């Protein structure tokens, strides 16, 4: 039987900010300061006031007016995340990042090196605190979904170990919403069947669940019995890289929208190059002032990490949209990744040619920004946009 460890950094973004600036220790720190945006993270001091991630910033300010609202620093969070993942890699080669602040680790058979699961869990928590200065919560169980539930069981700074013979008792009294994939709508549906706790799922046979909920019902029944995947995939890659911005005021100015697309394409391109990724599918996201949201995608003939190629594809998608209302939010994403070496042919495609042309330029821009900061060098189109904005 496998032994899976799930590590979840506690209030990650906010905790990084508190660690880097000791003056923030003990204060309600909220990541997200754009009045028309949403909260990315909240410290435990802020959560006391009911502030949660994905909450509108306006609502967070109403609930916690004395909170410290910060824009966030994704680059810094990425640095800390890489330290965490590297540390876990010294425990086991089987590490699967689930997000920037959580990961699964297959620690099966490591008892001779690190001791029993509880001893290993304490060692991992101490190692992460020593290397990052941050607290984390750890769950250890025979399967992945149970390990994830266990890491959330005693937050913050928690450690919960579910041995194989404890699985049934551990699950029995949990609210069914604790099972990953059981959201609010599913909980409402299950409540109408009298299912509120995990043990209630077992009151109905598998045929009942298949008849009423199909494959999802069978998966729910299996999880209520403690059955799930124990496969940790170290090669798991990001599904997409994206950037988006919510405007202070809605706009239908296509030049302004295009300028934001260029800024976003630069951010995405740089991240792709740092991760040695190239993507073929470019996706434009628009949210209008009536809160209707659309996405439009285009797949390129060749994968790219070029700012210019990403921008041109996104701009083409934007130009094709009629914009029936002013835009509240705009975003760009790149997906459909590949790490394969570029195939050389007799004739280069337009994307290949642009990739080659941009390679040295992007490398130079990245080097300057790494040394002097993101605003150290600005493309002419963005500079003109900023100047006009300042003059206006």
């Amino acid at each position: 039987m496998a032994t899976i460890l799930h590590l979840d950094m506690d209030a990650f973004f906010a905790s990084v900010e508190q660690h880097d600036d000791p003056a923030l220790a003990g204060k309600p720190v909220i990541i997200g300061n754009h009045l028309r945006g949403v909260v990315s993270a909240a410290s435990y001091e802020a959560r006391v006031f009911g502030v949660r991630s994905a909450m509108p910033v306006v609502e967070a300010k109403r609930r916690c007016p004395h909170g410290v609202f910060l824009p966030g620093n994704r680059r810094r969070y990425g640095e800390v995340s890489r330290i965490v993942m590297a540390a876990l890699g010294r425990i086991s080669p089987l590490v699967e990042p689930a997000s920037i602040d959580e990961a699964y680790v297959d620690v099966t058979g490591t008892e001779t090196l690190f001791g029993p699961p509880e001893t290993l869990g304490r060692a991992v928590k101490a190692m992460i605190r020593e290397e990052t200065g941050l607290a984390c919560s750890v769950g250890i169980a025979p399967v992945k979904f149970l390990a994830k539930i266990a890491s959330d069981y005693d937050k913050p700074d928690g450690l919960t170990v579910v041995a194989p013979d404890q699985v049934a008792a551990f699950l029995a009294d949990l609210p069914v919403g604790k099972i990953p994939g059981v959201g609010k709508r599913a909980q409402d549906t299950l409540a109408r069947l009298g299912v509120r706790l995990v043990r209630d799922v077992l009151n109905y046979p598998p045929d009942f669940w298949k008849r009423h909920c199909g494959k999802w019902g069978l998966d729910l029944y299996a999880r209520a019995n403690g059955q799930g995947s124990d496969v940790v995939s170290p090669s798991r890659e990001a599904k997409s890289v994206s950037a988006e911005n919510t405007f202070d005021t809605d706009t239908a100015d296509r030049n302004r929208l295009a300028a934001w697309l260029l800024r976003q394409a630069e951010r995405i391109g740089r991240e792709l190059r740092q991760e040695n990724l190239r993507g073929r599918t470019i996706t434009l996201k628009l949210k209008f002032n009536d809160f209707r949201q659309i996405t439009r995608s285009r797949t390129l003939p060749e994968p790219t990490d070029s700012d210019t190629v990403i921008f041109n594809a996104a701009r083409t998608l934007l130009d094709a949209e009629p914009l029936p209302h002013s835009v509240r939010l705009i975003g760009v994403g790149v997906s459909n990744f590949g790490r394969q070496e570029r195939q050389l042919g007799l004739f280069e495609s337009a994307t290949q040619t642009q990739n080659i042309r941009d390679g040295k330029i992007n490398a130079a821009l990245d080097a300057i920004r790494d040394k002097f900061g993101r605003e150290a060098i600005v493309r002419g189109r963005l500079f003109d946009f900023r100047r006009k904005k300042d003059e206006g």
Side-chain angles (χ1 to χ4, degrees):
M1 184 169 289
T3 304
I4 307 300
L5 180 150
H6 181 263
L7 178 142
D8 193 358
M9 301 301 293
D10 296 330
F12 183 50
F13 295 173
S15 294
V16 171
E17 298 288 353
Q18 290 175 317
H19 172 268
D20 291 352
D21 183 358
L24 297 176
K27 295 183 178 180
V29 175
I30 300 161
I31 308 303
N33 63 349
H34 196 296
L35 287 177
R36 291 159 61 82
V38 297
V39 172
S40 297
S43 69
Y44 284 93
E45 295 86 353
R47 296 182 190 188
V48 170
F49 297 92
V51 178
R52 297 288 186 272
S53 61
M55 174 183 289
V57 170
V58 170
E59 175 64 15
K61 284 183 177 290
R62 187 188 68 78
R63 296 191 181 198
C64 188
H66 59 294
V68 181
F69 289 80
L70 302 173
N73 185 341
R74 293 286 300 191
R75 182 179 178 187
R76 172 59 178 154
Y77 308 149
E79 290 174 353
V80 178
S81 176
R82 286 188 285 274
I83 293 172
V84 171
M85 301 305 168
L88 294 176
R90 296 196 293 274
I91 299 295
S92 166
L94 300 177
V95 178
E96 178 183 322
S99 67
I100 194 172
D101 63 346
E102 61 177 312
Y104 296 96
V105 188
D106 188 338
V107 294
T108 308
T110 63
E111 290 86 354
T112 55
L113 292 173
F114 304 111
E118 187 171 350
T119 301
L120 171 60
R122 286 197 295 266
V124 168
K125 286 165 57 63
M127 177 178 63
I128 297 301
R129 187 178 288 277
E130 179 180 351
E131 298 201 16
T132 68
L134 304 177
C136 66
S137 292
V138 168
I140 302 176
V143 293
K144 290 167 71 175
F145 92 88
L146 269 175
K148 182 175 176 65
I149 292 175
S151 69
D152 190 54
Y153 190 76
D154 192 27
K155 272 183 164 288
D157 201 18
L159 170 61
T160 301
V161 178
V162 183
D165 60 354
Q166 298 172 331
V167 169
F170 177 76
L171 282 171
D173 293 326
L174 289 179
V176 71
K178 289 290 185 181
I179 294 180
V182 180
K184 182 65 171 62
R185 290 180 61 184
Q187 290 176 56
D188 292 342
T189 299
L190 292 172
R192 289 194 288 271
L193 296 171
V195 176
R196 291 178 173 81
L197 302 177
V198 174
R199 68 180 178 209
D200 297 333
V201 176
L202 305 181
N203 291 336
Y204 299 93
D207 286 348
F208 171 89
W209 290 112
K210 182 178 181 180
R211 188 168 61 252
H212 283 79
C213 305
K215 183 178 182 301
W216 182 86
L218 291 176
D219 289 342
L220 175 67
Y221 186 82
R223 291 195 172 192
N225 279 285
Q227 301 168 8
S229 172
D230 60 4
V231 178
V232 174
S233 304
S235 61
R236 176 175 174 174
E237 297 178 350
K239 295 182 179 179
S240 65
V241 175
S242 61
E244 62 183 43
N245 293 90
T246 301
F247 303 131
D248 292 326
T249 56
D250 304 331
T251 182
D253 184 337
R254 289 185 179 271
N255 288 330
R256 184 182 179 200
L257 294 172
W260 278 105
L261 288 179
L262 182 54
R263 286 180 65 93
Q264 293 166 352
E266 287 182 336
R267 287 162 54 189
I268 294 169
R270 187 178 182 189
E271 184 171 346
L272 291 175
R273 293 187 291 275
Q274 288 175 336
E275 299 297 329
N276 192 30
L277 289 171
R278 288 186 170 193
R280 290 184 61 206
T281 301
I282 313 299
T283 301
L284 170 72
K285 175 180 177 181
L286 295 173
K287 182 182 288 186
F288 297 105
N289 59 4
D290 61 355
F291 289 90
R292 184 173 66 92
Q293 180 175 298
I294 64 169
T295 58
R296 300 290 184 263
S297 297
R298 177 186 178 190
T299 297
L300 305 172
E302 298 288 337
T304 188
D305 61 7
S306 164
D307 306 354
T308 304
V309 173
I310 297 167
F311 167 71
N312 287 340
R315 178 68 187 267
T316 299
L317 292 169
L318 175 64
D319 289 344
E321 285 303 311
L323 302 185
H325 301 280
S326 294
V327 175
R328 174 186 176 87
L329 173 150
I330 192 168
V332 183
V334 177
S335 58
N336 193 8
F337 296 131
R339 294 178 183 268
Q340 302 91 343
E341 294 296 322
R342 183 175 64 87
Q343 296 292 318
L344 294 176
L346 181 61
F347 301 103
E348 299 283 5
S349 72
T351 304
Q352 288 176 329
T353 302
Q354 191 71 57
N355 284 336
I356 296 169
R357 182 183 301 139
D358 289 349
K360 292 183 178 180
I361 296 174
N362 288 327
L365 292 174
D366 290 346
I368 292 170
R369 288 167 176 157
D370 286 342
K371 187 171 183 179
F372 300 106
R374 197 176 100 180
E375 304 300 325
I377 187 166
V378 180
R379 293 179 188 268
R381 278 178 286 188
L382 284 179
F383 181 81
D384 289 342
F385 170 71
R386 291 179 188 174
R387 177 175 53 80
K388 291 175 183 177
K389 184 178 178 183
D390 292 339
E391 291 173 353

